[in-house]
């Protein structure tokens, strides 16, 4: 009889409890697939008395995560507590130094301390698996690290936050404002009481930093990611996007350029015909562009107890099989340092929405300022103001929305042109600018 893989789990929240349940339910299948049984033998959590719908009587209860990680009675330490620091960091370090394998769903910890932990795994012979940290049930880590090990990656991008995708979907389909959709997302449990980590793009940035390391062999650096959230997106931007053949998504994009690896998170217009544009609601998706192959798009639930637990159990199964992949696909010493790419050097198409004042020469002034920066316009749409006749109410003509789609240009050229237009006082308010990502 082959000895079972003995698992210890730190953290029994929604995901942790589901992992215990899933291992019990799938015990025969796991044993068959792995060539040995997989058993949870010990756990720890902040509250032992909390009702979880599990029978934990037969399991050892460790007094704290560090004690569990150091327990000689376990082979695999599973960290599901969360947080970029303690107690998760010390517990994982202790497990790795003891030669144990570690499975975690902790994106914040991997984004901040992943290199140090990967080095410890290399030195002591254990695995460090974190599939659930990026995209939950979407197997993007294994795809980049193992499935595409022989392929040069040019770009990896995707929808990595279900909260933002849900909000943008509702705004588009129902014409609601960002504030209205956010409030509803909080009521339904898709957004936290303090939603800034999600809607300001930081959750996506952590995940993108991990994907960029796997794709390009760079050191994980969340600080190298340019980050912009979705709170500035208005229903009129989504309507305009639809009419122009686009859809707005919050994307994390890591791309190889002649200037180096560019990493950015921001609202993005994508062609409606693209795979990523079809992904609605809380669903996540990642597209990988590699040399010599058509783009690969992986779509699935990017969060939730069952989805995350399925990825955690898959990582545990790899440990049971004896698979010891390098955490980031390369030895840590071969990962390259990366500096933050200035967004001013980014090149691509742009959507620009201006509120043009009804003054003689306004259109000519805007066109001149764009031409000064050698910005070519692909299309231009002028709309009439909605609602009550502003001239009758105020004696002045209301500003008219003007929407421009540019050909490929540089970020700094767009900013210089728009700054000049604002100095000319031919527009009201702040211009809206959304980058366009082509297929």
């Amino acid at each position: 009889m082959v000895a079972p893989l003995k698992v210890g789990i730190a953290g029994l929240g929604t995901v942790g409890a589901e992992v215990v349940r899933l291992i019990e339910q799938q015990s025969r299948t796991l044993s068959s697939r792995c060539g040995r049984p997989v058993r949870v033998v010990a756990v720890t959590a902040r509250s032992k008395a909390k009702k979880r719908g599990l029978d934990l009587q037969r399991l050892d209860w460790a007094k704290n995560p560090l004690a569990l990680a150091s327990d000689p009675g376990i082979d695999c330490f599973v960290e599901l507590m969360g947080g970029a620091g303690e107690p998760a960091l010390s517990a994982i370090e202790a497990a790795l130094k003891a030669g144990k394998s570690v499975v975690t769903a902790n994106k914040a910890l991997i984004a901040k301390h992943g290199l140090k932990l990967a080095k410890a795994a290399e030195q002591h012979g254990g695995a460090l698996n974190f599939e659930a940290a990026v995209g939950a049930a979407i197997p993007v880590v294994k795809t980049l690290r193992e499935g595409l090990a022989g392929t040069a990656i040019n770009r990896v991008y995707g929808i990595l936050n279900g909260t933002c995708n849900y909000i943008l979907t509702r705004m588009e389909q129902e014409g609601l404002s960002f504030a209205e959709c956010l409030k509803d997302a909080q009521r339904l449990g898709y957004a936290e009481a303090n939603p800034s980590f999600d809607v300001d793009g930081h959750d996506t940035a952590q995940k993108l930093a991990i994907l960029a390391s796997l794709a390009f062999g760079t050191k994980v650096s969340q600080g190298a990611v340019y980050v912009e959230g979705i709170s500035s997106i208005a229903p009129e931007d989504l309507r305009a996007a639809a009419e122009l053949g686009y859809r707005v998504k919050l994307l994390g994009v890591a791309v190889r350029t002649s200037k180096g690896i560019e990493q950015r998170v921001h609202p993005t217009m994508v062609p409606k015909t693209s795979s990523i544009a079809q992904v609605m609601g809380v669903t996540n998706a990642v597209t990988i562009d590699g040399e010599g192959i058509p783009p690969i798009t992986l779509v699935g639930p990017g969060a939730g107890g069952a989805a995350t637990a399925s990825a955690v159990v898959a990582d545990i199964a790899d440990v049971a099989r004896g698979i010891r992949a390098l955490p980031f696909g390369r030895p840590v010493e071969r990962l390259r340092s990366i500096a933050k790419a200035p967004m001013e050097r980014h090149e691509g198409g742009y959507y620009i929405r201006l509120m043009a004042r009804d003054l003689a020469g306004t259109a000519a002034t805007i066109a001149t300022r764009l031409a000064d920066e050698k910005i070519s316009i692909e299309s231009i749409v002028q709309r009439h103001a909605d609602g009550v006749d502003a001239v009758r109410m105020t004696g002045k003509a209301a500003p008219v929305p003007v929407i421009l789609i540019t050909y490929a240009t540089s970020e700094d050229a767009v900013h210089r042109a728009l700054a000049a237009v604002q100095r000319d006082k031919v527009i009201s308010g702040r211009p809206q600018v959304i980058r366009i990502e082509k297929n």
Side-chain angles (χ1 to χ4, degrees), residues 72-389:
I74 70 167
D75 308 307
C76 178
F77 176 69
V78 179
E79 183 276 307
L80 298 172
M81 298 174 289
E86 303 300 346
L89 177 59
S90 292
I92 290 178
E93 286 183 312
L96 291 171
K97 288 176 181 177
K100 304 180 193 299
S101 289
V102 170
V103 172
T104 180
N106 193 335
K107 62 182 177 292
L109 188 71
I110 296 299
K112 187 172 183 178
H113 300 292
L115 298 181
K116 178 168 67 171
L117 297 177
K119 192 169 185 179
E122 290 177 26
Q123 290 174 341
H124 300 284
L128 174 63
N129 294 342
F130 47 85
E131 183 67 71
V134 184
I138 304 172
V140 64
V141 171
K142 287 186 176 71
T143 299
L144 286 169
R145 187 178 61 196
E146 298 154 41
L148 295 175
T151 302
I153 306 301
N154 294 323
R155 178 175 62 160
V156 56
Y157 64 100
I159 298 166
L160 300 171
N161 184 274
T163 299
C164 290
N165 205 42
Y166 170 82
I167 290 171
L168 291 172
T169 298
R170 289 284 307 278
M171 288 178 67
E172 177 190 343
Q173 294 179 343
E174 301 175 41
L176 302 175
S177 69
F178 169 80
E180 289 174 304
C181 290
L182 173 58
K183 186 176 181 180
D184 207 34
Q186 290 171 316
R187 180 182 62 81
L188 294 169
Y190 295 145
E192 302 289 341
N194 180 0
S196 60
F197 187 68
D198 289 321
V199 300
D200 290 344
H202 302 297
D203 173 75
T204 298
Q206 288 182 344
K207 296 171 182 175
L208 182 68
I210 296 169
L211 292 182
S213 177
L214 291 161
F216 302 112
T218 56
K219 292 181 179 179
V220 182
S221 176
Q222 185 181 348
V225 183
Y226 170 85
V227 184
E228 188 179 306
I230 64 170
S231 59
S232 68
I233 301 300
E236 50 264 41
D237 297 318
L238 303 180
R239 289 194 296 269
E243 292 174 13
L244 293 163
Y246 294 97
R247 184 164 275 145
V248 178
K249 299 291 184 183
L250 181 76
L251 292 189
V253 182
V255 58
R256 189 192 306 275
T257 75
S258 60
K259 306 176 185 70
I261 306 301
E262 188 178 271
Q263 299 180 66
R264 47 192 166 85
V265 173
H266 51 73
T268 311
M269 284 196 176
V270 294
K272 276 189 175 181
T273 54
S274 65
S275 298
I276 214 87
Q278 315 308 316
V279 179
M280 309 297 275
V282 296
T283 305
N284 284 195
V286 179
T287 295
I288 303 165
D289 289 343
E291 290 284 351
I293 59 172
I296 297 170
T297 300
L298 307 172
V299 181
T308 306
S310 71
V312 170
V313 174
D315 276 348
I316 294 171
D318 278 352
V319 173
R321 293 186 185 108
I323 296 172
R324 298 291 184 273
L326 292 168
F328 292 98
R330 297 167 176 82
V332 171
E333 64 180 17
R334 294 186 183 178
L335 296 174
R336 296 179 290 113
S337 296
I338 183 171
K340 186 172 184 176
M343 276 305 294
E344 291 78 10
R345 297 168 66 184
H346 170 70
E347 294 184 355
Y350 288 81
Y351 159 96
I352 302 169
R353 176 168 56 83
L354 306 171
M355 296 303 294
R357 290 177 173 167
D358 187 22
L359 300 171
T362 291
T365 299
I366 293 171
T368 297
R369 293 308 186 187
L370 294 171
D372 289 344
E373 298 298 336
K374 297 181 173 55
I375 298 172
S376 299
I377 302 301
E378 181 177 334
S379 66
I380 181 167
V381 178
Q382 181 173 317
R383 300 175 182 277
H384 294 291
D386 295 329
V388 180
D389 186 339

